[in-house]
Amino acid sequence: MITTNNLTKKYGDFTALNQLSLTVNPGEIYCLLGANGAGKSTTINLLLGFLKPTSGVALINGKDVATNTISTKKDIAYIPENLMLYPTLTAVENLDYFSGIGGQKLPKETLESLLSQAGLQSDAFYKRTGAFSKGMRQKVGIAIALAKEAKALLLDEPTSGLDPKASNEFGRLLQGLKQNNVAILMATHDLFRAKEIATNIGIMKNGKLLEQFVSDEISLPVLEETYLKTMNYKELAV
Amino acid sequence: MFYYNFKYELKILLRSRWIQLISGLLLVLFVFASFNGSQKIEKRKAEISKAREAVKTSDARMLQQLDSIEKGHKVQVARWMVPTSPIAIGNYYPRVAAMDPNEMGFIAVGQSDVFTHYVSPRVSADDFSINFTEMTSPIQLLFGSFDLVFVLVYLLPLIIIAFSYNVLSEEKERGSLRLLASQPISIKKWVFQKLGLRFFWMAVIITVISLGVFLLNDVVSISGLLSFLALIFCYMLFWFSLAFAINLLVGESAKNALSLIGLWIVFVLLMPSLISQTGDIFFKIPPRMQMVQEIREHKAEAVKKQDEILDNFLRDHPEYAVNDSAQSRNFWHGYMASQNLLKEELQPLLSSYDEKLEEQQNWINKLKWTSPAIITQRALGRLAGTTKQDYDTYQEQVLQFAEEWRSFFMPLLFNNGVFTSELAKSLPAFEYKPKSDNYLVSSLLGLLVMTCVIMGVTVSMYSIRSKETGILGS
């Protein structure tokens, strides 16, 4: 479970995140929408312990991230916007390395199986990742998350730059993880994808969570209009 | 984490050709530098051996002549070189007082370019006229020799910097740091292990190359090789600890590189120069020419008063008094007596010069602990036996031998004795005995303490910063 409680991050006078409180339960996908600088990535960085909160708490399965940075990471998988791997290592080697340093020793068959589950074609397993497309790298990232058997998955604009097919495949993979009772928090600009896969959607602006919806209770056009109004793009709203 | 870092670091380094590049570079540098060093050693050995051969030849001639004289034959030899005369033997059949290079001499040319490594003290020459310096190329003196010490002290840190400056920043710039930092690991430990492994592989390469180079140079001393490697590894540790500090505390590759190069300039170039400058400023040594001038004046004075000096000398040495009419006193008696007086008179002057020099050396010895480059250079020089300290020891032993040589002939001269083939068997011989001290242990400890201080300060600073801002807070 992912929880934030009045989570706040300030840089001097600038407030990057202002008293964010949200909960993502196991088996839920929470999509955070918002323009650049809304505080989405800051939220994820605070949940990963990359940043220290000014006030409030970020909890992973009830444990405070700020005070248990390393132990909470055992339960988190993270896929950044531009996932980069070691270019001179193959997909299997990258997966072996990242899961290995995290404490999981996996046999070769399991590594191949995880890459297959993540949707990577088998002929790419033993190719160096230096020549991989972003979509292929994201799939290795998903395999790393799968290997970790994480209870919480944090995604920072994972579909940006992916072609529609790859984006669709990625959405389906997340649905699969959701079925496995993983709590997923995804920061994205992609309203369509958010509506398609999310169980809950939040709209952020200037570090504040301004709107929250249950995805099934809102249509895509209403979501779009609400988003544009919230962002003050009135001329674009219907 | 360590097993996976160990497993993949070598793969990454091999596939990015780092291991091949470093191995090739170090191999070329080590072979070329040790070849240069061994050439100088060979030259030095050849010179000493030539001088010893010359002594052997002249000794054979001297013994042949003595044999003829003792059998009552006449010999064709200049009057002043007749070998029955103790002064002739003391002057024209001197021994070679040589500082033989040790088997590890090839690692450091050191002061061997500046000081001579063999002299032949004679009875008529005073200690001050023994010339311990030799003509060298001023260009070579300016830049030093391209020996192993130059490679290790000056170039190796640059290779370490190139090999380690961007261990963390490369991850940040490539974009893999966020994925890495999301794993349940400590970034501090991860950087430590990565640098530790790079240190390990570099140490392996250096050990293999050193082993080859030592075998090529016929070095059989295991303790010598181990001391050499221990010094290099401690010096490498110092530079890797600096790389650890910069990787964790600075951040960007360009800034890291610049910071480490700056530290290289400070520790390798600036500190030694500053230490030397302060030594000159605080402990000014009177010009050597002034001392030479004073010695000359005393000598001239002594020559003028030789007869008077001889009388005083004989009064102080009743064992040399003329006891029978067969004994006589000539130029050499006066000369040798004046030499003794001259030595006594010049002692305060020489002592004051030596004291100033010692004060300066002590000051520099204290300050050397501020620069790992000086510590390593001196320690490697000591291993090679080519430091100023080694030459000082040699010169000291040569002066003792010169005294021993003179003392051997003094009773013969003043008792109007005759040199015989029997006495030739007991002529004093010189053997250089290097001084041993704990320089190796103290140097290793010095380097390790510096490394520990850097590591400790870095870990503390990094912990404080990450507590305040998070691991990627900066």
Side-chain angles (χ1 to χ4, degrees):
Chain A
M1 188 162 73
I2 302 166
T3 313
T4 67
N5 220 334
N6 290 323
L7 193 62
T8 303
K9 179 69 187 174
K10 287 183 179 176
Y11 296 98
D13 294 337
F14 175 71
T15 304
L17 191 66
N18 196 349
Q19 296 193 316
L20 175 74
S21 294
L22 61 80
T23 301
V24 186
N25 291 307
E28 281 183 4
I29 300 179
Y30 194 115
C31 281
L32 278 177
L33 296 172
N36 290 334
K40 306 185 300 289
S41 297
T42 304
T43 306
I44 287 177
N45 284 339
L46 286 162
L47 282 164
L48 284 162
F50 290 175
L51 299 173
K52 292 279 173 191
T54 309
S55 62
V57 283
L59 305 166
I60 299 290
N61 287 336
K63 275 196 269 184
D64 185 354
V65 174
T67 51
N68 304 282
T69 311
I70 292 183
S71 69
T72 51
K73 279 189 209 161
K74 286 181 183 159
D75 294 330
I76 314 173
Y78 167 62
I79 298 176
E81 180 183 357
N82 196 11
L83 188 137
M84 293 306 292
L85 302 161
Y86 289 103
T88 54
L89 298 182
T90 66
V92 168
E93 286 169 341
N94 266 293
L95 177 55
D96 187 34
Y97 179 68
F98 280 105
S99 49
I101 58 167
Q104 282 178 301
K105 198 175 180 180
L106 302 172
K108 192 179 133 194
E109 296 73 30
T110 311
L111 296 171
E112 288 175 352
S113 157
L114 288 166
L115 286 169
S116 278
Q117 282 178 56
L120 191 72
Q121 288 183 328
S122 58
D123 59 357
F125 288 0
Y126 291 97
K127 282 188 180 154
R128 292 189 189 181
T129 55
F132 276 20
S133 66
K134 183 180 174 182
M136 290 166 88
R137 291 200 305 273
Q138 297 287 52
K139 284 171 184 170
V140 178
I142 289 282
I144 293 169
L146 289 171
K148 215 170 173 182
E149 294 174 339
K151 295 178 183 74
L153 177 60
L154 304 172
L155 304 135
D156 195 356
E157 302 183 17
T159 53
S160 76
L162 288 185
D163 62 55
K165 181 177 169 283
S167 180
N168 182 274
E169 278 175 3
F170 192 79
R172 274 192 280 145
L173 278 167
L174 291 188
Q175 293 288 6
L177 288 170
K178 178 181 151 189
Q179 301 301 320
N180 291 338
N181 267 341
V182 176
I184 302 171
L185 178 66
M186 179 165 111
T188 183
H189 293 295
D190 188 344
L191 267 67
F192 172 75
R193 193 65 55 203
K195 173 70 189 89
E196 190 187 65
I197 62 170
T199 42
N200 296 291
I201 297 170
I203 300 175
M204 291 185 78
K205 190 183 172 188
N206 296 334
K208 276 193 169 176
L209 182 64
L210 297 178
E211 301 280 354
Q212 284 195 85
F213 311 99
V214 174
S215 181
D216 289 344
E217 292 172 1
I218 190 168
S219 66
L220 182 64
V222 175
L223 173 66
E224 189 178 18
E225 194 175 345
T226 312
Y227 178 80
L228 292 171
K229 275 182 183 166
T230 312
M231 295 295 122
N232 274 345
Y233 300 143
K234 284 173 187 160
E235 67 284 6
L236 296 174
V238 179
Chain B
M1 173 164 72
F2 180 75
Y3 169 75
Y4 284 89
N5 270 335
F6 186 83
K7 184 176 169 186
Y8 286 108
E9 184 64 0
L10 181 63
K11 261 187 194 173
I12 290 169
L13 290 174
L14 280 169
R15 288 179 188 170
S16 57
R17 305 258 188 278
W18 260 111
I19 292 284
Q20 294 89 322
L21 180 73
I22 283 186
S23 303
L25 190 62
L26 286 173
L27 182 70
V28 169
L29 289 172
F30 267 58
V31 169
F32 181 61
S34 66
F35 174 75
N36 269 348
S38 59
Q39 288 291 99
K40 300 220 181 233
I41 292 294
E42 287 310 316
K43 188 172 166 256
R44 187 170 151 186
K45 279 182 182 167
E47 283 168 1
I48 293 172
S49 159
K50 198 176 161 191
R52 284 191 175 131
E53 277 306 312
V55 168
K56 265 188 192 170
T57 312
S58 71
D59 275 5
R61 196 174 59 238
M62 176 251 287
L63 287 170
Q64 204 178 10
Q65 289 169 355
L66 278 173
D67 186 53
S68 299
I69 295 168
E70 283 162 9
K71 283 177 180 161
H73 302 302
K74 276 200 167 181
V75 290
Q76 290 294 318
V77 61
R79 188 174 48 85
W80 57 89
M81 283 185 75
V82 175
T84 49
S85 153
I87 285 294
I89 298 295
N91 273 334
Y92 302 112
Y93 299 94
R95 308 295 90 183
V96 171
M99 185 188 184
D100 288 293
N102 77 25
E103 61 175 356
M104 290 181 64
F106 72 95
I107 67 172
V109 171
Q111 302 294 314
S112 66
D113 264 3
V114 181
F115 297 110
T116 193
H117 30 264
Y118 76 91
V119 286
S120 300
R122 294 157 198 267
V123 285
S124 66
D126 55 51
D127 294 350
F128 330 109
S129 62
I130 299 175
N131 187 10
F132 289 106
T133 54
E134 57 189 10
M135 297 295 284
T136 48
S137 153
I139 300 292
Q140 200 169 345
L141 281 179
L142 184 63
F143 296 106
S145 296
F146 197 100
D147 52 11
L148 268 179
V149 164
F150 174 74
V151 170
L152 293 167
V153 173
Y154 290 83
L155 304 184
L156 188 64
L158 291 174
I159 298 173
I160 292 172
I161 290 170
F163 195 36
S164 61
Y165 77 100
N166 64 347
V167 164
L168 187 60
S169 58
E170 186 190 24
E171 300 283 337
K172 203 183 274 182
E173 284 148 12
R174 186 174 49 220
S176 49
L177 180 62
R178 296 179 73 81
L179 182 61
L180 190 74
S182 70
Q183 307 306 317
I185 56 166
S186 148
I187 288 294
K188 184 175 65 193
K189 271 189 196 161
W190 181 85
V191 174
F192 181 77
Q193 288 187 6
K194 288 277 268 194
L195 285 171
L197 286 165
R198 287 183 184 213
F199 167 82
F200 173 75
W201 290 119
M202 206 161 175
V204 168
I205 294 168
I206 285 178
T207 305
V208 172
I209 296 174
S210 299
L211 212 60
V213 163
F214 274 54
L215 283 174
L216 278 176
N217 284 283
D218 299 324
V219 177
V220 287
S221 157
I222 300 289
S223 65
L225 174 67
L226 292 178
S227 308
F228 173 77
L229 289 175
L231 268 170
I232 301 175
F233 294 162
C234 286
Y235 188 53
M236 280 170 62
L237 273 178
F238 170 82
W239 287 101
F240 270 101
S241 69
L242 279 183
F244 177 71
I246 297 296
N247 265 288
L248 281 182
L249 302 176
V250 178
E252 291 163 30
S253 293
K255 275 189 193 170
N256 286 3
L258 210 62
S259 308
L260 283 165
I261 293 289
L263 289 169
W264 179 83
I265 291 171
V266 168
F267 285 118
V268 177
L269 302 180
L270 219 58
M271 292 299 287
S273 157
L274 271 176
I275 291 170
S276 169
Q277 292 292 321
T278 54
D280 284 343
I281 292 167
F282 297 133
F283 302 96
K284 216 166 180 59
I285 296 171
R288 199 176 168 81
M289 278 314 292
Q290 190 184 319
M291 190 181 77
V292 170
Q293 186 59 33
E294 283 187 51
I295 290 172
R296 280 182 187 157
E297 282 166 14
H298 276 84
K299 267 183 174 178
E301 201 63 30
V303 168
K304 273 186 213 163
K305 299 189 285 182
Q306 258 183 24
D307 289 343
E308 190 187 327
I309 289 168
L310 179 60
D311 288 344
N312 290 338
F313 177 79
L314 290 174
R315 203 172 302 135
D316 293 342
H317 296 273
E319 71 273 21
Y320 297 149
V322 177
N323 297 322
D324 58 65
S325 57
Q327 286 184 326
S328 62
R329 293 286 175 259
N330 59 26
F331 165 79
W332 285 114
H333 294 94
Y335 182 84
M336 296 306 283
S338 68
Q339 288 302 298
N340 267 24
L341 183 79
L342 192 64
K343 247 177 108 176
E344 282 163 23
E345 283 187 357
L346 287 174
Q347 200 51 50
L349 176 71
L350 293 170
S351 296
S352 85
Y353 186 85
D354 286 346
E355 271 165 27
K356 283 266 162 46
L357 204 64
E358 203 181 322
E359 278 175 359
Q360 196 185 57
Q361 283 300 311
N362 287 342
W363 169 256
I364 290 171
N365 273 338
K366 272 180 204 158
L367 288 186
K368 80 173 181 187
W369 298 108
T370 56
S371 167
I374 302 178
I375 297 174
T376 311
Q377 188 164 23
R378 287 198 167 196
L380 287 170
R382 291 300 313 276
L383 270 183
T386 52
T387 59
K388 170 89 170 53
Q389 203 177 332
D390 291 298
Y391 278 89
D392 284 348
T393 306
Y394 165 66
Q395 288 171 17
E396 206 176 287
Q397 290 178 14
V398 167
L399 294 181
Q400 279 168 10
F401 175 70
E403 186 59 42
E404 190 186 349
W405 184 249
R406 239 190 323 270
S407 302
F408 182 84
F409 295 102
M410 283 288 272
L412 274 176
L413 173 72
F414 279 91
N415 294 327
N416 286 87
V418 172
F419 190 77
T420 61
S421 50
E422 199 52 39
L423 277 174
K425 288 176 192 163
S426 52
L427 276 173
F430 178 85
E431 192 193 352
Y432 169 62
K433 292 182 190 80
K435 246 187 207 168
S436 60
D437 52 31
N438 59 354
Y439 71 94
L440 182 69
V441 176
S442 58
S443 303
L444 292 175
L445 280 175
L447 290 168
L448 285 175
V449 166
M450 281 182 175
T451 303
C452 291
V453 168
I454 293 167
M455 297 291 282
V457 170
T458 305
V459 168
S460 311
M461 284 175 73
Y462 180 75
S463 298
I464 291 166
R465 202 175 68 180
S466 57
K467 255 181 206 162
E468 283 170 1
T469 59
I471 53 171
L472 301 183
S474 60

